[in-house]
Amino acid sequence: MGGTTRGLLPLHLRGRHGINPGVFLHTVFAVLIVALDHNVQDLGLPASIIPSLSIVVGLMLVFRNQTSYNRFWDGRNHLTVIITSIRNLTRSFLANSHHHPLADRLETDRIIRILIAILYATKNHLRAGWGAEYIPGPDMTTAVTPMMDECADLLPKGLYGCDDRGLGLVLQLTVFVEQYIKKGTDRGWFHAPQASQMQVQLNGLVDAYGRMETIRLTPIPIAHLIHQKQVLALFGGVLPFALVDKMDYWAIPVVSLVMFTLYGIDGIGSQLEDPFG
């Protein structure tokens, strides 16, 4: 029910749970500073320190979000390359197999299922969702693990996967596709230029897959992430001192709104950083 209700809310009324703790702590700290300023002693600092700190915070947030969005955009483009290559290969295989004997058409259907399975395997590999260890064949009785249930019927029978050991299942599946292209060329199903174009599509698919792996395995340096969090916390800690003299109790909601905005921008960068979920 909670997810359904949240989905019905307009975008500007929805919240992000990840930024709420930070905003809450800064708000509590602002309340404490305002209370001490009124009841104990003057804690105000010159407001001129805010522009200097805000420049640093702004530069770090811009760098983080720009880098994260580049990763997100590149990841989506590489995924599009994989999808387009699979569509082109599927179209070519089907267009050249309609006059084949039944056994050859069944072989074409098997390869098309493998092409579709490549999409699932790409998703699982990039999300570290291993699970294609065994696909039951004539001599295998091991059950398919739940992670691969969604595409178990698309994979070749008797396949032994090594996805969790560094050899991506996608690369294994492309071997079956290349074997089919060579078989079709030897049997005269495809002429040489056509087979060459199919090979280009397959190579482009593998290249895009490798680039997506690079994005997945090369996160933003942890030192940058730590320092950004520290700078945000420092800015939120100094802000009440700089606002309390001129804004009095209004410093509390202003600090809350400012930190809500900054932590929200930081949260956007965190979400964009991993385009594969």
Side-chain angles (χ1 to χ4, degrees):
M1 283 295 291
T4 304
T5 304
R6 184 173 178 269
L8 295 175
L9 291 174
L11 289 176
H12 61 279
L13 294 180
R14 299 183 190 180
R16 286 180 51 84
H17 299 298
I19 68 175
N20 291 338
V23 175
F24 175 76
L25 290 176
H26 283 290
T27 302
V28 171
F29 184 71
V31 171
L32 177 63
I33 296 303
V34 171
L36 291 176
D37 183 77
H38 271 267
N39 300 307
V40 180
Q41 63 176 352
D42 183 16
L43 298 177
L45 293 177
S48 57
I49 65 174
I50 296 301
S52 301
L53 289 175
S54 63
I55 291 174
V56 176
V57 173
L59 288 175
M60 296 199 71
L61 287 176
V62 167
F63 173 80
R64 167 75 184 283
N65 279 35
Q66 184 63 43
T67 303
S68 298
Y69 187 77
N70 287 340
R71 292 166 57 88
F72 177 82
W73 183 249
D74 290 343
R76 301 303 298 180
N77 284 336
H78 296 322
L79 179 60
T80 300
V81 171
I82 292 178
I83 294 174
T84 302
S85 297
I86 290 175
R87 287 172 175 172
N88 289 336
L89 289 170
T90 301
R91 185 192 68 242
S92 297
F93 293 163
L94 288 175
N96 289 276
S97 66
H98 66 279
H99 60 282
H100 294 170
L102 177 61
D104 292 337
R105 292 202 303 270
L106 293 176
E107 174 70 9
T108 301
D109 291 342
R110 184 179 77 95
I111 294 300
I112 291 175
R113 288 197 298 271
I114 290 175
L115 286 172
I116 298 173
I118 287 176
L119 293 173
Y120 290 98
T122 300
K123 179 196 72 173
N124 288 331
H125 183 75
L126 294 173
R127 293 181 177 181
W130 322 126
E133 273 303 299
Y134 297 100
I135 301 301
D139 301 321
M140 295 186 182
T141 57
T142 306
V144 182
T145 54
M147 188 64 70
M148 295 299 293
D149 276 348
E150 59 187 357
C151 66
D153 60 326
L154 302 173
L155 295 170
K157 299 300 181 183
L159 175 66
Y160 179 84
C162 302
D163 213 353
D164 56 342
R165 299 171 194 165
L167 177 60
L169 181 61
V170 173
L171 300 179
Q172 291 180 269
L173 295 178
T174 55
V175 173
F176 291 96
V177 180
E178 186 161 357
Q179 289 174 342
Y180 177 81
I181 295 174
K182 184 178 185 305
K183 178 180 178 182
T185 304
D186 294 340
R187 293 189 176 185
W189 298 347
F190 320 123
H191 51 74
Q194 188 178 24
S196 177
Q197 285 298 318
M198 293 178 182
Q199 192 67 49
V200 169
Q201 292 286 340
L202 190 61
N203 290 341
L205 186 155
V206 175
D207 178 69
Y209 170 72
R211 293 176 185 273
M212 293 169 76
E213 271 189 320
T214 300
I215 294 174
R216 179 67 177 84
L217 298 175
T218 311
I220 294 178
I222 188 64
H224 176 84
L225 299 179
I226 292 174
H227 189 60
Q228 177 175 300
K229 295 293 186 182
Q230 292 172 341
V231 170
L232 276 176
L234 174 64
F235 182 77
V238 172
L239 195 58
F241 294 97
L243 298 179
V244 66
D245 281 346
K246 291 188 175 180
M247 303 194 69
D248 202 17
Y249 286 105
W250 282 103
I252 299 172
V254 170
V255 169
S256 299
L257 291 174
V258 170
M259 297 314 299
F260 172 81
T261 302
L262 295 180
Y263 276 114
I265 296 174
D266 179 62
I268 292 172
S270 298
Q271 185 172 356
L272 292 175
E273 183 181 353
D274 184 6
F276 310 120

